[in-house]
Amino acid sequence: LEDGGSGSGAEFDVFRDSALRYVGYSNEVGEAFRPVMHSKWVKLSYVAAFGYVFADTVHKARKCYRRLDKHDVSPSSVRKWWVPIMSDSVDTLIWQTLASVLLPGLAINRVVHYVHRGVLHPAVKRRIPKMVRKALPSTVGLSTIPFIVHPIDESVHFIMDWTVRPVLKSLHLPLDCGCHPDSDQCRQQQQQAPSSST
């Protein structure tokens, strides 16, 4: 993944810096409306979200492939092509699956579930009109989405910086095609850049 929206001269990333990014939140919206719509629509929202994940993974793999020097077709050079491509693809696939689909989907599911249970409690049920009881879980679920995106993103970065990314490096799969801008690796590169240019 690349952050194309921050910093001067940063590269534009259609999967993060355009309206296409909202497709990654479709399953959270589906979870928010779970109490009031058929389960097939919730499942369809997950299809859309995973479609976004796989599309971004392919996009990063193709971008990595275009950056590599492919004039040398010897076996050793061919291995140098697919190593960074696979590394970048694995990083993107795992990060997007966790940060865009599974963890936020679970969070919204639990929020909506407990709000729904709360409004059905006899003490609450007597005091709240039926229309409000029906709409409240989805309203709370939708309003929760903006507040969980950044914490989940940062948490997944932290987890991957201590688990997946070190494993990729130990397997000689360095993120040669560009690391995630919020990862420790890229932060270190940004800190070293000014000193190396002087």
Side-chain angles (χ1 to χ4, degrees):
L1 275 148
E2 299 172 62
D3 186 359
S6 60
S8 57
E11 185 177 0
F12 177 79
D13 188 335
V14 68
F15 283 90
R16 286 182 63 92
D17 304 320
S18 72
L20 190 60
R21 179 70 180 98
Y22 295 105
V23 179
Y25 303 141
S26 59
N27 66 303
E28 287 102 298
V29 176
E31 288 290 354
F33 284 106
R34 183 181 286 273
V36 295
M37 69 181 185
H38 197 280
S39 61
K40 70 178 181 180
W41 296 111
V42 179
K43 294 175 182 178
L44 187 62
S45 72
Y46 274 88
V47 172
F50 274 113
Y52 167 85
V53 170
F54 292 129
D56 190 27
T57 301
V58 172
H59 175 256
K60 297 302 181 294
R62 291 185 62 189
K63 182 180 290 186
C64 182
Y65 177 78
R66 289 197 299 268
R67 289 176 177 174
L68 298 176
D69 182 8
K70 298 176 287 296
H71 292 88
D72 186 355
V73 293
S74 63
S76 60
S77 293
V78 170
R79 183 180 182 278
K80 292 178 182 179
W81 301 351
W82 68 259
V83 165
I85 292 173
M86 289 298 296
S87 176
D88 211 43
S89 300
V90 168
D91 187 84
T92 301
L93 180 63
I94 295 176
W95 191 91
Q96 284 283 23
T97 299
L98 292 174
S100 295
V101 183
L102 298 185
L103 295 182
L106 176 63
I108 298 302
N109 178 281
R110 292 298 85 192
V111 168
V112 172
H113 171 75
Y114 287 115
V115 173
H116 189 248
R117 284 185 58 180
V119 298
L120 292 180
H121 190 278
V124 178
K125 194 174 182 178
R126 292 194 299 266
R127 293 175 172 82
I128 299 180
K130 182 179 180 180
M131 184 177 296
V132 176
R133 293 200 310 268
K134 188 174 182 180
L136 190 60
S138 295
T139 302
V140 174
L142 289 172
S143 62
T144 303
I145 294 175
F147 297 100
I148 67 172
V149 171
H150 185 69
I152 288 178
D153 284 359
E154 288 298 312
S155 298
V156 174
H157 286 311
F158 178 81
I159 292 170
M160 290 187 64
D161 282 338
W162 285 93
T163 55
V164 176
R165 287 162 182 157
V167 169
L168 291 178
K169 292 181 68 175
S170 70
L171 295 174
H172 305 288
L173 297 177
L175 302 180
D176 290 333
C177 285
C179 49
H180 199 288
D182 293 326
S183 67
D184 285 344
Q185 182 187 18
C186 278
R187 286 172 179 151
Q188 292 171 3
Q189 290 176 2
Q190 292 169 358
Q191 291 172 359
Q192 295 170 359
S195 59
S196 63
S197 61
T198 56

